Amino acid sequence: RVLGGISTNLLFSAFESWMTTEHRKNGFPEEWLSRTYAEASIGNGVTAILAGIISQILEDSFGHIGPFQGAIALTILALLMVLPWNENYGDSNNNDENSLSEQFSQGWKTTLSNSHVWKIGLTQALSEGAMYTFVFMWVPTLLTLDPPGGVPTGCVFSAMMMSITIGGMLYPPLQGFFSRYIISDRLAPEACASFVYLLAAASMAVPAVSLSHTSSDTLNVTIISFLIVEGCVGLFMPVAGTLRSKYVPDALQGAILNIFRLPLNAVVVAGTYATDVFELTLVFKLVSLSFFAAACFQ
């Protein structure tokens, strides 16, 4: 689990920091960043769809251990793909400024003193923490509804990942709509973020209500709400990346993105603990409230 925590922090900080710095080092237009994040969200969704289908095949063929064996092979493949990359050290003119301790010290100072930065960290913790809590809940929730023939988890997972892909595809036109008809282009990402978090909050309020009053439509309504919240995930991945590239200094991106993981992990721990001690309907209410709080802070 310790190695998993380290690798997760690297996954959600190193690649984004590298891409943003490399983008600006090559002099590409700033407006391309949001497009890159959207395409990354789409690619993530497509890959996850394939992973869900392959996981279902591996589980059918080798039992519950099959997907884990497939994950080992993919991890080795990822390592081989990363090895030939050129390293990006950012500004290396001053070795003291680039020391690890100095980066984290400056990262903490920037996070605490800059309201834009700490608000991004807080909204990320609340929204992604709610998302990870939902990840722990969707399978038990569907199992409690006892659908005929059981729950084809791999297929349901692929459907939700398709929603992430659709969300990533919708982000550029959504941002364009906000900048053209609702708010200035400069503040369009912030407005998009608030809208997405409110939509996610509404979608998670649906199972909180429907599970309390089960009917013949409860299963369909619940699955639709799950697909909507996953579409929101596909939307707020690029919008959050755009906001981080806008307000987080390039030289401190790696440090600050790892600092953001601290409150996020705290929310995840609280959320997963809640799934063990509270009823599903109450946990869905808490998840919805977390998304709503993210919209308010945004």
Side-chain angles (χ1 to χ4, degrees):
R1 300 310 303 171
V2 172
L3 291 175
I6 294 172
S7 60
T8 300
N9 278 9
L10 289 173
L11 176 65
F12 288 100
S13 61
F15 293 100
E16 181 175 326
S17 301
W18 186 93
M19 189 278 292
T20 303
T21 304
E22 195 74 8
H23 179 99
R24 288 170 174 157
K25 188 172 73 173
N26 283 279
F28 297 141
E30 285 294 304
E31 56 268 22
W32 287 8
L33 275 173
S34 61
R35 190 187 312 168
T36 302
Y37 288 120
E39 291 176 356
S41 181
I42 295 170
N44 180 65
V46 171
T47 304
I49 292 168
L50 296 175
I53 296 172
I54 294 172
S55 295
Q56 189 71 57
I57 295 173
L58 291 173
E59 183 178 2
D60 293 340
S61 302
F62 303 103
H64 294 307
I65 197 64
F68 292 94
Q69 294 172 332
I72 294 173
L74 289 176
T75 303
I76 295 173
L77 177 61
L79 173 62
L80 296 176
M81 293 176 65
V82 168
L83 284 176
W85 284 18
N86 293 324
E87 185 54 275
N88 188 330
Y89 295 98
D91 183 8
S92 58
N93 293 328
N94 191 322
N95 291 330
D96 291 333
E97 289 183 357
N98 286 311
S99 68
L100 184 61
S101 60
E102 183 65 22
Q103 281 198 13
F104 273 96
S105 176
Q106 291 297 322
W108 274 109
K109 291 177 181 177
T110 301
T111 301
L112 296 175
S113 62
N114 189 321
S115 62
H116 291 297
V117 175
W118 68 256
K119 283 181 180 179
I120 290 173
L122 186 57
T123 55
Q124 176 179 319
L126 291 169
S127 60
E128 291 192 26
M131 176 192 70
Y132 287 126
T133 302
F134 164 75
V135 168
F136 278 90
M137 295 173 61
W138 72 267
V139 173
T141 300
L142 295 181
L143 289 175
T144 60
L145 297 175
D146 194 23
V151 179
T153 52
C155 295
V156 175
F157 177 80
S158 294
M160 292 197 296
M161 294 306 102
M162 176 65 77
S163 296
I164 290 180
T165 303
I166 294 172
M169 296 171 65
L170 289 176
Y171 174 64
L174 179 66
Q175 183 176 349
F177 173 80
F178 272 90
S179 62
R180 181 175 299 179
Y181 298 108
I182 298 179
I183 201 168
S184 66
D185 185 65
R186 185 176 64 86
L187 296 176
E190 286 86 341
C192 285
S194 296
F195 170 76
V196 171
Y197 295 146
L198 287 173
L199 180 60
S203 66
M204 286 292 90
V206 171
V209 175
S210 64
L211 293 174
S212 301
H213 308 86
T214 56
S215 66
S216 58
D217 295 327
T218 300
L219 178 62
N220 292 333
V221 170
T222 301
I223 291 178
I224 290 172
S225 70
F226 288 178
L227 295 178
I228 292 174
V229 78
E230 289 293 340
C232 292
V233 172
L235 279 165
F236 70 64
M237 286 171 65
V239 74
T242 301
L243 290 172
R244 287 192 293 266
S245 67
K246 181 178 179 180
Y247 292 112
V248 178
D250 284 356
L252 299 174
Q253 274 221 2
I256 291 177
L257 292 184
N258 276 287
I259 290 170
F260 286 171
R261 303 298 297 180
L262 296 176
L264 169 58
N265 289 337
V267 175
V268 172
V269 169
T272 53
Y273 177 74
T275 62
D276 289 333
V277 298
F278 298 131
E279 294 182 356
L280 287 174
T281 53
L282 178 56
V283 180
F284 276 114
K285 291 177 183 177
L286 293 174
V287 171
S288 177
L289 181 62
S290 184
F291 278 125
F292 181 76
C296 293
F297 281 111
Q298 184 61 59

